[in-house]
Amino acid sequence: MDASALQVLTMAKVIQTAVAPVFLITGIAATLGVLSNRLARITDRARLLDRRLKHPQDESTTFDLQTEMRALLKRSRCIHIAFSASVLSALLVSAVVMMLFISHLHTMDLGITIASAFIGAMALLIAAFLALLAEVFLATRSMRRGMIFADFSQDDN
C-alpha cells in the first residue's frame, strides 16, 4: 500500500472519529431550540405583566404581578445560563473536531488538548442541563403557587 492510500485511509479514520462530536453538536443545537422557545415564552409573559403593571390596580393584584415578574426574572436567568453554557459547549466540541484534523494534517500530538476540550464541553453541557432543570423547577413551582394557572382543585361536578 502506497503512502497516499495510507494517508487517505488515515484521513477517513479521522473523519469517522469526528462524526460523534458532530452528532453532539446537533443535539446541542436541538437543546438551544428548546431554550429559545422557553425564553420566548418567558419574554412574552413578562411583556404582558409589564403592561398590566403600568395600569393602576389594587395593592394585592400589583403584589401578585410583581411576584410573578420576579419569578420570570429568575427563570430567564436560568435560561440565560443554560443558553450560554450550551453555546460554549458547542464551541468546544467544534474546536475538538478542528483539532482532530489539525493533529492529523500537521502530525501534532494534541491528545491532551483534545481530551481537555471535550471534558470542558461535557462539563458545560452538564451545567446547561442543570440550569434548564432549575428553570423547569421554578416554572412548576410558580404553577403550584397559583401564579400562572387558576386554582383547579375545585371539582367541576
Side-chain angles (χ1 to χ4, degrees), residues 22-75:
V22 170
F23 281 120
L24 179 58
I25 292 171
T26 303
I28 293 170
T31 301
L32 290 171
V34 168
L35 294 170
S36 294
N37 287 335
R38 293 188 73 83
L39 182 59
R41 301 281 304 206
I42 292 168
T43 302
D44 291 344
R45 181 69 180 159
R47 286 183 182 143
L48 176 70
L49 293 178
D50 189 50
R51 283 195 297 268
R52 283 185 175 172
L53 281 168
K54 288 181 180 175
H55 295 87
Q57 301 170 30
D58 61 55
E59 283 185 35
S60 174
T61 303
T62 300
F63 177 78
D64 289 344
L65 292 175
Q66 288 173 341
T67 301
E68 187 173 350
M69 281 291 273
R70 281 191 295 276
L72 290 174
L73 179 61
K74 288 178 185 176
R75 288 178 59 196

Side-chain angles (χ1 to χ4, degrees), residues 77-95:
R77 285 181 185 147
C78 288
I79 293 295
H80 175 76
I81 291 167
F83 207 94
S84 299
S86 294
V87 169
L88 290 172
S89 177
L91 287 172
L92 280 176
V93 172
S94 299

Side-chain angles (χ1 to χ4, degrees), residues 1-7 9:
M1 186 177 289
D2 65 345
S4 67
L6 186 59
Q7 188 174 10
L9 289 174

